[in-house]
Amino acid sequence: NEKTESRDRRQSATSVGFLTLGASEPETGVLTVAVNPVSGLGGRFSEQIREKQALAYTVSASHEPTALGGFFMAYTATSPENRRLAVDALKEQFKKLTVDLPTEEEVRRGKNFSSGLWRMRLQQRRHQIFEFARLRMAGLGLDEIQTYASQYDFVTPSLIRDVARKYFDLNHIAIGGILGSSGSRDAPK
């Protein structure tokens, strides 16, 4: 399922993603930890697609759980010529998540990052209010604020792979993008 729109730009922007589960489900914590080893400049997606294959300017990933469902997605910005290759490379990286186990170190860092980010956010009053509202909208109680970070404790490499197998089905992928044109008037000369 792919939807795109063309623009007179020298860059294409594409998101590739999958529907996941609601915020109150236990597997949400697994996907939150799973996004950390693949996202960012040092993440697997960026390492493969940006650094090794030189297909994209930027690559990132995120997991967004909501009250009734959620999504796990990757975003990439590419030249128009590299867009399809980058999308295919992202698909391959998602497929690898369903086969290859992340390392114990990747999982440990993912857990630490996820719980640390949560605790840092709660240091500001506005984020406390936002989190109270978000938890309520997700159908979770306010007591979840105290135990939220512990949801990552049970995450293991094999659990990440198993949850990836459940949600990252390439037959049920959503792709959306803004397609640039290589002959764009704002292309560098």
Side-chain angles (χ1 to χ4, degrees), residues 9-16 45-46 49-51 53-61 73-87 90 176-180:
R9 298 283 179 242
R10 66 177 176 226
Q11 192 175 81
S12 293
T14 305
S15 291
V16 175
F45 288 5
S46 183
I49 298 164
R50 182 176 187 262
E51 300 302 323
Q53 298 179 48
L55 295 174
Y57 309 117
T58 188
V59 181
S60 63
M73 60 156 278
Y75 164 84
T76 185
T78 67
S79 68
E81 297 82 12
N82 286 340
R83 179 188 175 274
R84 179 52 49 198
L85 293 170
V87 168
L90 278 172
I178 303 295
L179 306 178

Side-chain angles (χ1 to χ4, degrees), residues 54-128:
L55 295 174
Y57 309 117
T58 188
V59 181
S60 63
S62 64
H63 172 240
E64 297 296 331
T66 64
L68 300 177
F71 60 90
F72 193 108
M73 60 156 278
Y75 164 84
T76 185
T78 67
S79 68
E81 297 82 12
N82 286 340
R83 179 188 175 274
R84 179 52 49 198
L85 293 170
V87 168
D88 291 343
L90 278 172
K91 287 180 181 179
E92 183 61 30
Q93 290 303 307
F94 275 111
K95 183 178 177 183
K96 283 183 177 186
L97 289 175
T98 69
V99 177
D100 300 338
L101 291 174
T103 67
E104 291 285 345
E105 177 63 15
E106 287 176 318
V107 174
R108 185 189 64 74
R109 282 186 312 206
K111 289 191 232 185
N112 288 343
F113 182 83
S114 298
S115 63
L117 184 63
W118 170 256
R119 288 181 177 101
M120 277 182 15
R121 285 179 52 94
L122 291 180
Q123 291 177 4
Q124 295 182 6
R125 180 84 170 138
R126 66 186 171 106
H127 287 298
Q128 290 173 8

